[in-house]
Amino acid sequence: MKRNWYKYLFIMITFFVIGFIWWNSSKNGEESSGISQGVLYEIMQIFARIGISTDITEHIIRKLAHFTEFTALGILLSIDTVLFLKNMKQYVWIPLFIGFLVALIDETIQLFPVGRSSSVKDVWLDFSGVIFGTILLLVSKQIYLFKLRKTLK
């Protein structure tokens, strides 16, 4: 049992990320916008320091944040699937299904705080992040296995 502690660590990290996603969705419109504007300001400062002029908007920051959160979730759900079920190709539907449910619940949560709204487009954006994260993990695993086989020959 001691050898499998990392499996449960990854499950806990996955639950933490889901909680973080839903916690952000429970913020009212003013709080959420304030966070996005803060991130936008920092990004604009970084671009200004390196001499790049850009027209990034708060809307783009918000969409990138969703995509990034759900990409991380897709990676974690895929790692959990590999750790517990081993055969990712046979069970690839599990991280996709759970990721889609998390996206649906996320957008449902956003119906309730003042100044927030829900969008079917956002469910698909979130789900595309899960798909991207899952693909990243599958490709990384194949590259690792290819390099491992190459070194063993």
Side-chain angles (χ1 to χ4, degrees), residues 6-132:
Y6 57 90
K7 291 180 176 182
Y8 301 101
L9 175 64
F10 273 100
I11 288 287
M12 288 189 320
I13 293 169
T14 302
F15 279 116
F16 174 79
V17 168
I18 293 169
F20 178 76
I21 290 169
W22 290 345
W23 178 69
N24 281 328
S25 291
S26 69
K27 294 185 178 301
N28 67 40
E30 190 176 313
E31 287 177 296
S32 180
S33 181
I35 292 168
S36 297
Q37 288 174 6
V39 171
L40 176 60
Y41 176 79
E42 293 300 324
I43 290 173
M44 297 300 278
Q45 292 297 313
I46 291 168
F47 281 143
R49 280 188 208 117
I50 57 176
I52 297 174
S53 175
T54 183
D55 291 331
I56 298 175
T57 64
E58 182 183 343
H59 179 77
I60 292 171
I61 294 298
R62 295 171 81 85
K63 298 307 174 188
L64 281 173
H66 270 264
F67 186 81
T68 303
E69 288 173 333
F70 278 88
T71 297
L73 181 61
I75 291 168
L76 288 167
L77 289 169
S78 297
I79 289 170
D80 295 338
T81 302
V82 168
L83 290 175
F84 282 92
L85 301 174
K86 304 290 184 226
N87 188 347
M88 181 64 180
K89 289 179 184 173
Q90 182 179 352
Y91 296 109
V92 72
W93 64 270
I94 292 174
L96 297 176
F97 179 73
I98 293 171
F100 188 71
L101 284 179
V102 171
L104 283 173
I105 293 168
D106 180 54
E107 289 303 312
T108 303
I109 290 169
Q110 289 182 37
L111 289 171
F112 300 102
V114 175
R116 297 293 297 265
S117 63
S118 183
S119 167
V120 173
K121 290 178 189 175
D122 285 347
V123 173
W124 290 112
L125 175 67
D126 297 347
F127 186 54
S128 67
V130 172
I131 292 169
F132 184 67

